[in-house]
Structures are given as structure tokens and as C-alpha cells.
Amino acid sequence: MSTLKTHVALNVSNIEKSVEFYHAMLGVTPVKNKGDYAKFDITNPPLNLTLNLSKEIKSGGALSHLGIQVESSEDVKAAIERFQAAGLALEVEDNTECCYALQDKVWVTDPDGNRWEVFVVKVGDTSPEKNINSPVSAIKTCCA
């Protein structure tokens, strides 16, 4: 089987601000940068991220948030340092329970309001009972 790479295409209202943000967030420069288009080709995690200039951005939509899962808390700390060095506003959550897992994470928001988390899962399942038939009301809201 060939290697898979995820592709995410985002509409953006300002290509320059978005390229600056994603350069800081991802730590790489775009492999292609035109007046209305930019492409980041990330090897770890394998991601083809494109930014497309759009006249109309529908804030919110069906997208909740985006994220990159890393291998360790040290990787989260490295992202925090990179974001701080770039002057990005961030929100840090250490030892937070989210989606029935214990995680360390940092959040940043791109110029068009898309929220990104860089996170590590420290404990994979924190629920006292692993019953998939539990009532929906018992689900802890997070990542919102």
C-alpha cells in the first residue's frame, strides 16, 4: 500500500496573514505561494495544506476544529515555544480531560477563526465504564 497523506484546503480572507500564521504554526515555509493560493507540504504528519483566497468566508460552518496529534508532552511544549516566538495568541491546557482522554494541548486560531490544537494523549480512555450505549448527556463537552 502506498503512503497516505491528508489534504486540507482552507478558504482564507487574507493570503498573506494566513501564510504568516501557518508558517509560524507549522514551522515550515510554503512550497508554493501565489497571490491567491499557497501550499504547505508537511512531512510529519503527512499533510498537504492549501490556502485558497476567497471573497466570502463563512465563519464556523460545520467545522468544529482542526488538530495535530503529537507523540509527547515535549512535542506540545515545543509547539508552545514556537507559537510564543511567533507572537501567536495561544491557550495551553495541561492534564485536561477531553473526549474521555487525558491530554496536554495548546490551541491557536488562524486569521479566519479556524481553531487548531496540538495535543498528546496521555491516557487513552478515562471513562469509568466503557459502555458505548451510555446516554448522550453523559458525554463531556470539550474541544469547543
Side-chain angles (χ1 to χ4, degrees):
M1 177 178 207
S2 61
T3 303
L4 300 176
K5 181 180 273 194
T6 300
H7 170 62
V8 174
L10 294 175
N11 289 330
V12 300
S13 60
N14 184 309
I15 199 80
E16 294 84 14
K17 284 184 180 179
S18 294
V19 165
E20 183 179 322
F21 172 84
Y22 284 102
H23 170 72
M25 185 189 134
L26 300 169
V28 299
T29 57
V31 296
K32 192 181 292 185
N33 190 356
K34 307 295 182 183
D36 62 349
Y37 174 87
K39 177 183 176 183
F40 290 85
D41 194 15
I42 298 101
T43 56
N44 188 17
L47 174 65
N48 172 341
L49 174 67
T50 59
L51 308 175
N52 303 286
L53 186 61
S54 178
K55 292 179 183 176
E56 184 180 342
I57 303 294
K58 294 179 181 165
S59 184
L63 180 66
S64 169
H65 67 279
L66 301 156
I68 298 172
Q69 184 172 352
V70 295
E71 292 182 4
S72 68
S73 293
E74 289 74 28
D75 293 334
V76 174
K77 289 176 187 168
I80 292 168
E81 291 172 6
R82 187 172 66 252
F83 300 163
Q84 288 174 329
L88 299 180
L90 55 94
E91 179 185 342
V92 176
E93 296 180 13
D94 291 325
N95 293 312
T96 188
E97 188 173 345
C98 178
C99 304
Y100 301 106
L102 184 65
Q103 304 173 11
D104 286 343
K105 60 177 72 184
V106 58
W107 291 91
V108 290
T109 303
D110 80 4
D112 289 300
N114 292 304
R115 288 181 33 91
W116 283 83
E117 65 175 326
V118 175
F119 68 100
V120 62
V121 174
K122 297 165 74 170
V123 177
D125 192 343
T126 58
S127 62
E129 81 181 53
K130 298 176 185 173
N131 180 356
I132 62 171
N133 295 319
S134 295
V136 174
S137 61
I139 297 174
K140 180 179 179 186
T141 301
C142 65
C143 302

